[in-house]
Amino acid sequence: MTSNRHRIVLLAAGHASVDLYQGAVPAVVPFLDAERHYGYAAVSGIVLAATLLSSFVQPLFGILSDRCPMPWLLPVSMTTAGLGLGLSGVGDSYLTTWLAIALCGLGVAAYHPESARLARLVSGNSHIGMSWFSLGGNIGFALAPIAVTPILSAGGLRATPFLLAPAVLGGLITLTVMRSLTRARAGARAKAHRAGRDDWPGFLRLSGAVICRSIVYVGLSAFVALHVQQRTGGGPGTGASALFVLFTGGAVGTVLGGRLAARWGRVPVARAACLAAIPAVAGVVFIPGPAVYLFVAAAAIALYVPFSLNVTLAQDYLPNRVGTAGGVTLGLAVSIGGVAAPGLGALADATMLATALIVLVPTAVAGWLFARGLTEPGERAVQPGGAPAVSRT
């Protein structure tokens, strides 16, 4: 047990080093603008190079990992992500920068499906263990500006090669875990193929809930700083505080979700969290004054409580395609919020920010409606006539 806890902590550290590169791309944007004078369209293209490629390629890596074991992909993908960001400031042309950022997104995409499988194995199907693994990614994303900004402030874009270091360190940490789990991975893979039928309807309902959650959270993270400034009448410091509350609440929710699920079960906790997100998000949108910070915290916690639970649910809905499940849940379904964010921005430009954020409230409602239809993998939903749930074999 102690050994597995040590391994999950190491995997969480590796996860942090990879997801740091997801948060690092937006942190590099101000330096691209300052040194190369990119316009809004050019900057949007740079960000989409990472988010879109990662979103759509990640499920493909999940499919590939289901067909053949690819443990070697973890350190390779981590190094690829770091190499892409490291090269982003070396060339002067827009094309080379775009290709470097796309390479970074490709590395991030390749990492998650196989790592989710490995984390599930190491955690021994523990919800708490998976929540710690997910927390590592949240921490890496939140630390990205802190890691990137001092380096580029001191050396400019030509200092981007130094940003390869976290990927190398994360790869070495992950290798120490992989070496001790070769036999266990093979046994788990054989067991997974005997696990039963894939439940595609359940998986699609879950994906719907995750997509709605992604749109709401990414929408908040993109605009909550400006929104809170407007609601409180404060300066940039109030917006930065709102982002800190949002990120901290997400970390708390991730850990809390695993502990609640260990006691009450994944599906009831996921349903309750989706329901709680509705008034919390509405409070962020409508409540004025300092009280808005309480609703930002509540929204972040509610949106992140089911985060790690969604990964294990997806894997159990598709027991014969756990790589695909992890790829879709952590990839396309999660990153779709980044695709929707420009639409919210356009609506805010056409109306006002508070009006655009109202869209997040019905989106949270839709996420709860999807979650209501979820059942624990291996069970059938109660029939309309009142027939009890039937366990699948």
Side-chain angles (χ1 to χ4, degrees), residues 37 42 64 81 84 91 93 158 171 175 178 215 256 266 290 314 325 350:
H37 309 291
L64 290 175
S93 74
R158 295 188 181 278
L175 278 173
M178 291 168 53
I215 293 173
L256 185 62
R266 293 175 295 182

Side-chain angles (χ1 to χ4, degrees), residues 13-27 81-82 85 104 108 112 136-148 163-167:
H15 194 188
S17 72
V18 170
D19 279 9
L20 180 144
Y21 292 100
Q22 292 196 73
V25 173
L85 192 70
C104 178
V108 172
H112 282 98
N138 299 341
I139 292 174
F141 190 91
L143 289 179
I146 299 174
V148 171
L163 299 177
L164 176 61

Side-chain angles (χ1 to χ4, degrees), residues 136 206 269 378:
L206 175 66
V269 170

Side-chain angles (χ1 to χ4, degrees), residues 53-70 72-74 76-77 80 102-103 105-115 117 321-328:
L53 186 64
S54 180
S55 297
F56 290 103
V57 174
Q58 200 156 264
L60 298 181
F61 278 107
I63 295 171
L64 290 175
S65 68
D66 285 329
R67 294 185 175 181
C68 60
M70 295 190 296
W72 53 267
L73 190 60
L74 294 182
V76 170
S77 63
T80 300
L103 183 65
L106 182 65
V108 172
Y111 170 83
H112 282 98
E114 191 71 22
S115 68
R117 186 202 307 274
R321 295 175 175 84
V322 293
T324 301
V328 171

Side-chain angles (χ1 to χ4, degrees), residues 216-247 284-285 289 292-293 296 353-354 357 360:
V216 173
Y217 184 80
V218 174
L220 286 178
S221 62
F223 300 111
V224 73
L226 292 174
H227 176 69
V228 169
Q229 283 182 231
Q230 296 174 5
R231 302 300 285 179
T232 61
T238 60
S241 298
L243 281 175
F244 176 79
V245 171
L246 186 73
F247 292 149
V284 173
V285 176
V292 71
Y293 286 106
V296 171
L353 182 56
L357 292 181
L360 300 181

Side-chain angles (χ1 to χ4, degrees), residues 28 31-32 35-36 85-93 151-163:
V28 170
F31 296 93
L32 291 172
E35 292 190 27
R36 300 181 183 174
L85 192 70
L87 293 175
S88 64
V90 175
D92 291 329
S93 74
I151 293 174
L152 298 191
S153 295
L157 289 175
R158 295 188 181 278
T160 55
F162 290 103
L163 299 177

